Amino acid sequence: MKPIDFSKEDKAALIGRIQHFFDKELDQPVGLLKSELVLDFFAKEIGAAYYKQGLQDAHAAFLKRADDLADDIYGLEQAARD
């Protein structure tokens, strides 16, 4: 998998959310550098698992739509025979 590359704006927003999480949920304020390290770690080490699951979900949705389309075409074929 190619590395996840966030825009400057997205990265800044994500870092802000990490800082907010640590401050509010864990009562442990963290600085910019530590927040960026957390983001980089999750993007590299954890992001692939979420990406893979997303691809699997998209594939399943595609297969369902393809199956629905095949059923619709079959129905049209049957109607044309009548």
Side-chain angles (χ1 to χ4, degrees):
M1 183 178 112
K2 75 176 199 163
I4 298 171
D5 189 24
F6 298 111
S7 70
K8 285 183 180 182
E9 295 81 15
D10 287 344
K11 191 168 188 172
L14 290 168
I15 288 170
R17 292 175 68 184
I18 290 168
Q19 288 177 307
H20 179 75
F21 174 79
F22 273 85
D23 187 34
K24 299 296 180 193
E25 301 296 326
L26 303 177
D27 201 25
Q28 281 289 325
V30 294
L32 184 64
L33 180 59
K34 285 185 180 180
S35 295
E36 189 171 354
L37 290 172
V38 168
L39 176 61
D40 290 345
F41 169 78
F42 276 91
K44 181 179 177 187
E45 302 296 330
I46 309 298
Y50 282 98
Y51 183 76
K52 181 180 176 184
Q53 183 63 49
L55 289 176
Q56 290 172 345
D57 293 346
H59 186 242
F62 175 80
L63 291 177
K64 182 180 180 328
R65 299 287 191 279
D67 192 42
D68 291 347
L69 180 60
D71 289 344
D72 291 346
I73 292 170
Y74 179 77
L76 291 170
E77 289 173 342
Q78 296 308 308
R81 290 185 185 158
D82 294 336

Coordinates of all heavy atoms in Angstrom, one line a residue:
M1 N 0.8 -1.2 0.0 CA 0.0 0.0 0.0 C 0.9 1.2 0.0 O 1.9 1.3 0.7 CB -0.9 0.0 1.3 CG -1.8 1.1 1.3 SD -2.9 1.1 2.8 CE -2.3 2.5 3.7
K2 N 0.5 2.2 -0.8 CA 1.3 3.4 -0.8 C 1.1 4.2 0.4 O 0.0 4.1 1.0 CB 1.0 4.2 -2.1 CG -0.3 5.0 -2.1 CD -0.4 5.8 -3.3 CE -1.5 6.9 -3.0 NZ -1.5 8.0 -4.0
P3 N 2.0 5.0 0.9 CA 1.9 5.8 2.1 C 0.7 6.8 2.0 O 0.4 7.3 0.9 CB 3.2 6.5 2.3 CG 4.2 5.8 1.4 CD 3.3 5.1 0.3
I4 N 0.0 7.0 3.1 CA -1.0 7.9 3.2 C -0.4 9.3 3.2 O 0.5 9.6 4.1 CB -1.9 7.7 4.4 CG1 -2.6 6.3 4.3 CG2 -3.0 8.8 4.5 CD1 -3.3 5.9 5.5
D5 N -0.8 10.2 2.3 CA -0.3 11.5 2.3 C -1.4 12.5 2.4 O -2.3 12.7 1.6 CB 0.4 11.7 0.9 CG 1.2 13.0 0.9 OD1 1.6 13.5 1.9 OD2 1.4 13.5 -0.2
F6 N -1.4 13.2 3.6 CA -2.5 14.2 3.9 C -2.0 15.6 3.4 O -0.8 15.9 3.4 CB -2.7 14.3 5.4 CG -3.2 13.0 6.0 CD1 -2.4 12.3 6.9 CD2 -4.5 12.5 5.7 CE1 -2.9 11.1 7.5 CE2 -5.0 11.3 6.3 CZ -4.2 10.6 7.2
S7 N -3.0 16.4 3.0 CA -2.7 17.8 2.7 C -2.3 18.5 4.0 O -2.6 18.0 5.1 CB -3.9 18.5 2.0 OG -4.9 18.6 3.0
K8 N -1.7 19.6 3.8 CA -1.3 20.4 5.0 C -2.5 20.7 5.9 O -2.4 20.6 7.1 CB -0.6 21.7 4.6 CG 0.8 21.5 4.1 CD 1.4 22.9 3.8 CE 2.9 22.8 3.3 NZ 3.5 24.1 3.1
E9 N -3.6 21.1 5.2 CA -4.8 21.5 6.0 C -5.4 20.3 6.7 O -5.8 20.4 7.9 CB -5.8 22.1 5.0 CG -5.4 23.4 4.4 CD -4.5 23.2 3.2 OE1 -4.4 22.1 2.6 OE2 -3.8 24.2 2.8
D10 N -5.5 19.1 6.0 CA -6.0 17.9 6.6 C -5.1 17.5 7.8 O -5.6 17.1 8.8 CB -6.1 16.8 5.6 CG -7.3 17.0 4.6 OD1 -8.2 17.9 4.9 OD2 -7.3 16.4 3.6
K11 N -3.8 17.5 7.6 CA -2.9 17.1 8.6 C -3.0 18.0 9.8 O -3.1 17.5 11.0 CB -1.5 17.1 8.1 CG -0.5 16.4 9.0 CD 0.9 16.1 8.4 CE 1.7 15.3 9.3 NZ 2.9 14.8 8.6
A12 N -3.1 19.3 9.6 CA -3.3 20.2 10.8 C -4.6 19.9 11.5 O -4.6 19.9 12.7 CB -3.2 21.6 10.3
A13 N -5.6 19.7 10.8 CA -6.9 19.4 11.4 C -6.9 18.1 12.2 O -7.4 18.0 13.3 CB -8.0 19.3 10.3
L14 N -6.2 17.1 11.6 CA -6.1 15.8 12.3 C -5.3 15.9 13.6 O -5.6 15.3 14.6 CB -5.6 14.7 11.4 CG -6.5 14.3 10.3 CD1 -5.7 13.4 9.3 CD2 -7.7 13.5 10.8
I15 N -4.2 16.6 13.5 CA -3.3 16.9 14.7 C -4.1 17.6 15.7 O -4.0 17.3 16.9 CB -2.0 17.6 14.3 CG1 -1.1 16.7 13.5 CG2 -1.3 18.2 15.5 CD1 0.0 17.4 12.8
G16 N -4.9 18.6 15.3 CA -5.8 19.3 16.3 C -6.7 18.4 17.0 O -7.0 18.5 18.2
R17 N -7.3 17.4 16.2 CA -8.2 16.5 16.8 C -7.5 15.5 17.8 O -8.1 15.2 18.8 CB -8.9 15.7 15.7 CG -9.9 16.6 14.9 CD -10.5 15.9 13.7 NE -11.4 14.9 14.2 CZ -12.1 14.1 13.4 NH1 -11.9 14.1 12.1 NH2 -12.9 13.2 13.9
I18 N -6.3 15.1 17.5 CA -5.5 14.3 18.4 C -5.2 15.0 19.7 O -5.4 14.5 20.8 CB -4.2 13.8 17.7 CG1 -4.5 12.8 16.6 CG2 -3.2 13.2 18.7 CD1 -3.4 12.5 15.6
Q19 N -4.8 16.3 19.5 CA -4.5 17.1 20.7 C -5.8 17.2 21.6 O -5.7 17.1 22.8 CB -4.0 18.5 20.3 CG -2.6 18.4 19.8 CD -2.1 19.7 19.4 OE1 -2.7 20.4 18.6 NE2 -0.9 20.1 19.9
H20 N -6.9 17.5 20.9 CA -8.2 17.6 21.7 C -8.5 16.3 22.4 O -9.0 16.3 23.5 CB -9.3 18.0 20.7 CG -10.6 18.1 21.3 ND1 -11.0 19.2 22.1 CD2 -11.7 17.3 21.3 CE1 -12.2 19.1 22.5 NE2 -12.7 17.9 22.1
F21 N -8.4 15.2 21.7 CA -8.6 13.9 22.3 C -7.8 13.7 23.6 O -8.3 13.3 24.6 CB -8.4 12.8 21.3 CG -8.6 11.4 21.9 CD1 -9.8 10.9 22.1 CD2 -7.4 10.6 22.3 CE1 -10.0 9.6 22.7 CE2 -7.6 9.4 22.8 CZ -8.8 8.9 23.1
F22 N -6.5 13.9 23.4 CA -5.6 13.6 24.6 C -6.0 14.6 25.7 O -6.0 14.2 26.9 CB -4.1 13.8 24.2 CG -3.5 12.6 23.6 CD1 -3.6 12.2 22.3 CD2 -2.8 11.7 24.5 CE1 -3.1 11.1 21.8 CE2 -2.2 10.6 24.0 CZ -2.3 10.2 22.7
D23 N -6.3 15.8 25.4 CA -6.6 16.8 26.4 C -7.9 16.5 27.1 O -8.0 16.5 28.4 CB -6.6 18.2 25.8 CG -6.8 19.3 26.8 OD1 -6.2 19.1 28.0 OD2 -7.4 20.3 26.5
K24 N -9.0 16.2 26.4 CA -10.3 16.1 26.9 C -10.6 14.7 27.4 O -11.2 14.5 28.5 CB -11.4 16.4 25.9 CG -11.3 17.9 25.4 CD -11.6 18.8 26.6 CE -11.5 20.2 26.1 NZ -11.5 21.2 27.2
E25 N -10.2 13.6 26.7 CA -10.5 12.3 27.0 C -9.5 11.6 28.0 O -9.9 10.8 28.8 CB -10.7 11.4 25.8 CG -11.7 11.9 24.8 CD -13.1 11.8 25.4 OE1 -13.4 10.9 26.2 OE2 -14.0 12.7 25.0
L26 N -8.3 12.0 27.8 CA -7.2 11.4 28.7 C -6.7 12.3 29.7 O -5.8 11.9 30.5 CB -6.1 10.8 27.8 CG -6.6 9.8 26.7 CD1 -5.4 9.4 25.8 CD2 -7.2 8.6 27.3
D27 N -7.1 13.5 29.7 CA -6.6 14.6 30.6 C -5.1 14.6 30.5 O -4.4 14.8 31.6 CB -7.1 14.3 32.0 CG -7.1 15.6 32.8 OD1 -7.1 16.7 32.3 OD2 -7.0 15.4 34.1
Q28 N -4.5 14.5 29.3 CA -3.1 14.5 29.1 C -2.8 15.4 27.9 O -2.7 14.9 26.8 CB -2.6 13.1 28.8 CG -2.4 12.3 30.0 CD -1.2 12.7 30.9 OE1 -0.2 13.2 30.4 NE2 -1.4 12.5 32.2
P29 N -2.6 16.7 28.1 CA -2.3 17.6 27.0 C -1.0 17.1 26.3 O -0.1 16.7 27.0 CB -2.2 19.0 27.6 CG -2.8 18.9 28.9 CD -2.7 17.5 29.4
V30 N -1.0 17.1 25.0 CA 0.2 16.8 24.2 C 0.5 17.9 23.2 O -0.4 18.6 22.8 CB 0.1 15.4 23.5 CG1 0.0 14.3 24.4 CG2 -1.1 15.4 22.5
G31 N 1.8 18.1 23.0 CA 2.2 19.1 22.0 C 2.0 18.7 20.6 O 1.6 17.6 20.2
L32 N 2.4 19.6 19.7 CA 2.3 19.5 18.3 C 3.1 18.3 17.8 O 2.7 17.5 17.0 CB 2.7 20.8 17.6 CG 2.5 20.8 16.1 CD1 1.1 20.7 15.7 CD2 3.1 22.1 15.6
L33 N 4.4 18.2 18.2 CA 5.3 17.2 17.7 C 4.8 15.8 18.1 O 4.7 14.9 17.3 CB 6.7 17.4 18.3 CG 7.7 16.4 17.8 CD1 7.8 16.3 16.3 CD2 9.1 16.7 18.4
K34 N 4.4 15.6 19.4 CA 3.9 14.3 19.8 C 2.6 13.9 19.1 O 2.4 12.8 18.7 CB 3.7 14.3 21.3 CG 5.0 14.2 22.1 CD 4.7 14.0 23.6 CE 6.0 14.0 24.3 NZ 5.8 13.8 25.8
S35 N 1.7 14.9 18.9 CA 0.5 14.7 18.1 C 0.8 14.2 16.7 O 0.2 13.4 16.1 CB -0.4 15.9 18.1 OG -0.8 16.2 19.4
E36 N 1.8 14.9 16.1 CA 2.2 14.5 14.7 C 2.7 13.1 14.7 O 2.5 12.4 13.7 CB 3.1 15.6 14.2 CG 3.4 15.4 12.7 CD 4.2 16.5 12.1 OE1 4.5 17.5 12.7 OE2 4.6 16.4 10.9
L37 N 3.5 12.8 15.7 CA 4.1 11.4 15.7 C 3.0 10.4 15.9 O 3.0 9.3 15.3 CB 5.1 11.3 16.9 CG 6.4 12.0 16.7 CD1 7.2 12.0 18.0 CD2 7.2 11.5 15.5
V38 N 2.0 10.7 16.7 CA 0.8 9.8 16.8 C 0.1 9.6 15.5 O -0.2 8.5 15.1 CB -0.1 10.3 17.9 CG1 -1.5 9.5 17.9 CG2 0.5 10.2 19.3
L39 N -0.1 10.7 14.8 CA -0.8 10.7 13.5 C 0.0 9.8 12.5 O -0.5 9.0 11.8 CB -1.0 12.1 13.0 CG -1.6 12.2 11.6 CD1 -3.0 11.5 11.5 CD2 -1.7 13.6 11.1
D40 N 1.3 10.1 12.5 CA 2.2 9.3 11.5 C 2.2 7.8 11.8 O 2.1 7.0 10.9 CB 3.6 9.9 11.5 CG 3.7 11.3 10.9 OD1 2.8 11.7 10.2 OD2 4.7 11.9 11.2
F41 N 2.2 7.5 13.1 CA 2.1 6.1 13.5 C 0.8 5.4 13.1 O 0.9 4.4 12.5 CB 2.3 6.0 15.1 CG 2.0 4.6 15.5 CD1 2.9 3.6 15.4 CD2 0.8 4.3 16.1 CE1 2.7 2.3 15.8 CE2 0.5 3.0 16.6 CZ 1.4 2.0 16.4
F42 N -0.3 6.1 13.4 CA -1.6 5.5 13.0 C -1.7 5.4 11.5 O -2.3 4.5 11.0 CB -2.7 6.2 13.7 CG -3.0 5.7 15.1 CD1 -2.4 6.3 16.1 CD2 -3.8 4.7 15.3 CE1 -2.6 5.9 17.4 CE2 -4.1 4.2 16.6 CZ -3.5 4.8 17.6
A43 N -1.3 6.4 10.8 CA -1.4 6.4 9.3 C -0.6 5.3 8.7 O -1.0 4.6 7.8 CB -0.9 7.8 8.8
K44 N 0.6 5.0 9.3 CA 1.5 4.0 8.8 C 1.1 2.6 9.3 O 1.0 1.7 8.5 CB 2.9 4.3 9.2 CG 3.9 3.3 8.6 CD 5.3 3.7 9.0 CE 6.3 2.6 8.5 NZ 7.7 2.8 9.0
E45 N 0.9 2.5 10.6 CA 0.7 1.1 11.2 C -0.7 0.7 11.2 O -1.0 -0.5 11.1 CB 1.3 1.1 12.6 CG 2.8 1.5 12.6 CD 3.7 0.5 11.9 OE1 3.3 -0.7 11.8 OE2 4.7 0.9 11.4
I46 N -1.7 1.6 11.4 CA -3.1 1.2 11.6 C -3.9 1.5 10.4 O -4.9 0.8 10.1 CB -3.7 1.9 12.9 CG1 -2.8 1.7 14.1 CG2 -5.1 1.5 13.1 CD1 -2.6 0.3 14.6
G47 N -3.5 2.5 9.7 CA -4.3 3.0 8.5 C -4.5 1.9 7.5 O -5.6 1.8 6.9
A48 N -3.5 1.0 7.3 CA -3.6 0.0 6.3 C -4.8 -1.0 6.6 O -5.5 -1.4 5.7 CB -2.3 -0.8 6.2
A49 N -5.0 -1.3 7.9 CA -6.1 -2.2 8.3 C -7.4 -1.6 8.0 O -8.3 -2.2 7.5 CB -6.0 -2.5 9.8
Y50 N -7.6 -0.3 8.2 CA -8.8 0.4 7.9 C -9.0 0.5 6.4 O -10.1 0.3 5.9 CB -8.9 1.8 8.6 CG -9.2 1.7 10.0 CD1 -8.2 1.8 11.0 CD2 -10.5 1.6 10.5 CE1 -8.5 1.7 12.3 CE2 -10.8 1.6 11.8 CZ -9.8 1.6 12.7 OH -10.1 1.6 14.1
Y51 N -8.0 0.8 5.7 CA -8.0 0.9 4.2 C -8.4 -0.5 3.6 O -9.3 -0.5 2.8 CB -6.7 1.3 3.7 CG -6.6 1.5 2.2 CD1 -7.2 2.6 1.6 CD2 -6.0 0.6 1.4 CE1 -7.1 2.8 0.3 CE2 -5.9 0.8 0.0 CZ -6.5 1.9 -0.5 OH -6.4 2.1 -1.9
K52 N -7.8 -1.5 4.1 CA -8.1 -2.9 3.6 C -9.6 -3.2 3.9 O -10.3 -3.7 3.0 CB -7.2 -3.9 4.3 CG -7.5 -5.3 3.8 CD -6.6 -6.3 4.5 CE -6.9 -7.7 4.1 NZ -6.1 -8.7 4.9
Q53 N -10.1 -2.9 5.1 CA -11.5 -3.1 5.4 C -12.4 -2.3 4.5 O -13.4 -2.8 4.0 CB -11.8 -2.8 6.9 CG -13.2 -3.1 7.3 CD -13.6 -4.6 7.2 OE1 -12.8 -5.5 7.6 NE2 -14.7 -4.9 6.5
G54 N -12.0 -1.1 4.2 CA -12.8 -0.2 3.3 C -12.9 -0.8 1.9 O -13.9 -0.8 1.3
L55 N -11.8 -1.4 1.5 CA -11.7 -2.0 0.1 C -12.6 -3.2 0.1 O -13.3 -3.5 -0.9 CB -10.3 -2.4 -0.3 CG -9.4 -1.2 -0.6 CD1 -8.0 -1.7 -0.9 CD2 -9.9 -0.4 -1.8
Q56 N -12.6 -4.0 1.2 CA -13.4 -5.2 1.3 C -14.9 -4.8 1.3 O -15.7 -5.5 0.6 CB -13.1 -6.0 2.5 CG -11.7 -6.7 2.4 CD -11.2 -7.4 3.7 OE1 -11.8 -7.1 4.8 NE2 -10.2 -8.2 3.6
D57 N -15.2 -3.8 2.0 CA -16.6 -3.3 2.0 C -17.1 -2.8 0.7 O -18.2 -3.1 0.2 CB -16.8 -2.2 3.1 CG -16.6 -2.7 4.5 OD1 -16.6 -3.9 4.8 OD2 -16.5 -1.9 5.4
A58 N -16.2 -2.1 0.0 CA -16.5 -1.6 -1.3 C -16.7 -2.7 -2.3 O -17.6 -2.7 -3.2 CB -15.4 -0.6 -1.8
H59 N -15.8 -3.7 -2.2 CA -15.9 -4.9 -3.1 C -17.2 -5.6 -2.9 O -17.9 -6.0 -3.9 CB -14.7 -5.8 -2.9 CG -14.6 -6.9 -3.8 ND1 -14.7 -8.2 -3.4 CD2 -14.5 -6.9 -5.2 CE1 -14.6 -9.0 -4.5 NE2 -14.5 -8.3 -5.5
A60 N -17.6 -5.8 -1.6 CA -18.9 -6.5 -1.3 C -20.0 -5.7 -1.9 O -21.0 -6.3 -2.4 CB -19.0 -6.7 0.2
A61 N -20.0 -4.4 -1.7 CA -21.1 -3.6 -2.2 C -21.2 -3.6 -3.8 O -22.3 -3.7 -4.3 CB -20.9 -2.1 -1.8
F62 N -20.0 -3.6 -4.4 CA -20.0 -3.7 -5.9 C -20.5 -5.1 -6.3 O -21.3 -5.1 -7.3 CB -18.5 -3.6 -6.4 CG -18.4 -3.8 -7.8 CD1 -18.7 -2.8 -8.7 CD2 -18.0 -5.0 -8.3 CE1 -18.6 -3.0 -10.1 CE2 -17.8 -5.2 -9.7 CZ -18.2 -4.2 -10.6
L63 N -20.2 -6.1 -5.7 CA -20.7 -7.5 -6.1 C -22.2 -7.5 -5.9 O -22.9 -8.1 -6.7 CB -20.0 -8.6 -5.3 CG -18.5 -8.8 -5.6 CD1 -17.9 -9.8 -4.6 CD2 -18.3 -9.2 -7.0
K64 N -22.7 -6.9 -4.8 CA -24.1 -6.9 -4.6 C -24.8 -6.2 -5.7 O -25.8 -6.6 -6.3 CB -24.5 -6.4 -3.3 CG -26.0 -6.4 -3.0 CD -26.3 -5.8 -1.7 CE -27.8 -5.8 -1.4 NZ -28.7 -5.7 -2.5
R65 N -24.3 -5.0 -6.1 CA -24.9 -4.2 -7.2 C -24.8 -5.0 -8.5 O -25.8 -4.9 -9.3 CB -24.2 -2.9 -7.3 CG -24.2 -2.0 -6.1 CD -25.6 -1.4 -5.9 NE -25.6 -0.3 -4.9 CZ -25.6 -0.5 -3.6 NH1 -25.7 -1.7 -3.1 NH2 -25.7 0.5 -2.8
A66 N -23.7 -5.6 -8.7 CA -23.6 -6.4 -10.0 C -24.6 -7.6 -10.0 O -25.2 -7.8 -11.1 CB -22.1 -7.0 -10.1
D67 N -24.8 -8.2 -8.9 CA -25.8 -9.3 -8.8 C -27.2 -8.7 -9.0 O -28.0 -9.3 -9.7 CB -25.7 -10.0 -7.4 CG -26.4 -11.3 -7.4 OD1 -26.4 -12.0 -8.4 OD2 -27.1 -11.5 -6.3
D68 N -27.5 -7.6 -8.4 CA -28.8 -6.9 -8.6 C -29.0 -6.6 -10.1 O -30.1 -6.8 -10.6 CB -28.9 -5.7 -7.8 CG -29.0 -6.0 -6.3 OD1 -29.2 -7.1 -5.9 OD2 -28.8 -5.0 -5.5
L69 N -27.9 -6.1 -10.7 CA -28.0 -5.7 -12.1 C -28.3 -7.0 -13.0 O -29.1 -7.0 -13.9 CB -26.8 -5.0 -12.6 CG -26.7 -4.6 -14.1 CD1 -27.8 -3.6 -14.4 CD2 -25.3 -4.0 -14.4
A70 N -27.6 -8.1 -12.7 CA -27.8 -9.3 -13.4 C -29.3 -9.8 -13.2 O -29.9 -10.3 -14.2 CB -26.8 -10.4 -12.9
D71 N -29.8 -9.7 -12.0 CA -31.2 -10.0 -11.8 C -32.2 -9.1 -12.6 O -33.1 -9.6 -13.2 CB -31.6 -9.9 -10.3 CG -30.9 -11.0 -9.5 OD1 -30.4 -12.0 -10.0 OD2 -30.9 -10.8 -8.2
D72 N -31.9 -7.8 -12.7 CA -32.7 -6.9 -13.5 C -32.7 -7.3 -14.9 O -33.7 -7.3 -15.6 CB -32.2 -5.5 -13.3 CG -32.5 -4.9 -11.9 OD1 -33.3 -5.6 -11.1 OD2 -31.9 -3.9 -11.5
I73 N -31.5 -7.6 -15.4 CA -31.3 -8.0 -16.9 C -32.1 -9.3 -17.1 O -32.8 -9.4 -18.1 CB -29.8 -8.1 -17.2 CG1 -29.2 -6.7 -17.2 CG2 -29.7 -8.7 -18.6 CD1 -27.7 -6.7 -17.4
Y74 N -32.0 -10.2 -16.2 CA -32.7 -11.5 -16.4 C -34.2 -11.2 -16.4 O -34.9 -11.8 -17.3 CB -32.4 -12.4 -15.3 CG -33.1 -13.7 -15.4 CD1 -32.7 -14.7 -16.3 CD2 -34.2 -14.0 -14.5 CE1 -33.4 -15.9 -16.4 CE2 -34.9 -15.2 -14.6 CZ -34.5 -16.2 -15.5 OH -35.1 -17.3 -15.7
G75 N -34.7 -10.3 -15.6 CA -36.1 -10.0 -15.5 C -36.5 -9.4 -16.8 O -37.6 -9.6 -17.4
L76 N -35.7 -8.5 -17.4 CA -36.0 -7.9 -18.7 C -36.1 -8.9 -19.8 O -36.9 -8.8 -20.7 CB -35.0 -6.8 -19.0 CG -35.1 -5.5 -18.1 CD1 -33.9 -4.6 -18.4 CD2 -36.4 -4.8 -18.4
E77 N -35.1 -9.8 -19.8 CA -35.1 -10.9 -20.8 C -36.4 -11.7 -20.7 O -37.0 -12.1 -21.7 CB -33.9 -11.8 -20.6 CG -32.6 -11.1 -20.9 CD -31.4 -12.0 -20.6 OE1 -31.5 -12.9 -19.8 OE2 -30.3 -11.7 -21.1
Q78 N -36.8 -12.1 -19.5 CA -38.0 -12.9 -19.3 C -39.2 -12.1 -19.8 O -40.1 -12.7 -20.4 CB -38.2 -13.3 -17.8 CG -37.1 -14.2 -17.3 CD -36.8 -15.4 -18.2 OE1 -37.8 -16.1 -18.6 NE2 -35.6 -15.6 -18.6
A79 N -39.3 -10.8 -19.5 CA -40.4 -10.0 -19.9 C -40.5 -9.9 -21.5 O -41.5 -9.8 -22.1 CB -40.3 -8.6 -19.3
A80 N -39.3 -9.9 -22.1 CA -39.2 -9.8 -23.6 C -39.7 -11.1 -24.2 O -40.2 -11.1 -25.3 CB -37.8 -9.5 -24.0
R81 N -39.6 -12.2 -23.5 CA -40.1 -13.5 -24.0 C -41.6 -13.6 -23.9 O -42.2 -14.4 -24.6 CB -39.4 -14.6 -23.3 CG -37.9 -14.7 -23.6 CD -37.3 -15.9 -22.9 NE -35.9 -15.9 -23.1 CZ -35.0 -16.5 -22.4 NH1 -35.4 -17.2 -21.3 NH2 -33.8 -16.4 -22.6
D82 N -42.2 -12.9 -23.1 CA -43.6 -13.0 -22.8 C -44.4 -12.4 -23.9 O -44.2 -11.6 -24.6 CB -44.0 -12.5 -21.5 CG -43.5 -13.4 -20.4 OD1 -43.2 -14.5 -20.6 OD2 -43.3 -12.8 -19.2

